[in-house]
Amino acid sequence: MSNGSVDPAAVRHVAGLARVDLAEDEVEAFATQFAAVLDYFETLDEVPEVESEPDLTNVLRTDEVRTGLTQDEALRNAPDTEDGYFEGPPVG
């Protein structure tokens, strides 16, 4: 599909979106490189499709309700607590 070239204006547009300043020789170099990348994608389009893997099924265990830590147990090793909660450093 590609005609083997990329318009330098398109390269400048993409460079502008990326906020990259390009010299004129860089624009030409990138145009050539972009054309090679697009040609490669066209080559990939020609690769025949293969059978896809069957849909994945959930192989994880089911959730089980278990008892957790009490509030006192959870706060036992905390360096600082306040009113039954973890105390962290000030924000800001």
Side-chain angles (χ1 to χ4, degrees), residues 3-84:
N3 61 7
S5 66
V6 174
D7 183 24
V11 174
R12 286 188 202 92
H13 176 71
V14 171
L17 293 174
R19 297 183 179 174
V20 175
D21 293 326
L22 296 178
E24 196 57 37
D25 59 330
E26 292 174 315
V27 170
E28 295 300 324
F30 277 111
T32 302
Q33 292 172 6
F34 287 165
V37 170
L38 293 174
D39 288 340
Y40 183 71
F41 276 110
E42 288 180 7
T43 301
L44 289 177
D45 285 340
E46 296 171 6
V47 174
E49 292 184 24
V50 295
E51 288 184 30
S52 63
E53 295 181 12
D55 292 334
L56 297 176
T57 58
N58 187 358
V59 294
L60 301 175
R61 63 173 170 74
T62 57
D63 290 336
E64 297 175 4
V65 177
R66 298 187 293 181
T67 57
L69 298 174
T70 65
Q71 187 173 14
D72 289 334
E73 290 171 330
L75 295 172
R76 185 177 300 143
N77 291 325
D80 297 310
T81 63
E82 183 178 330
D83 298 327

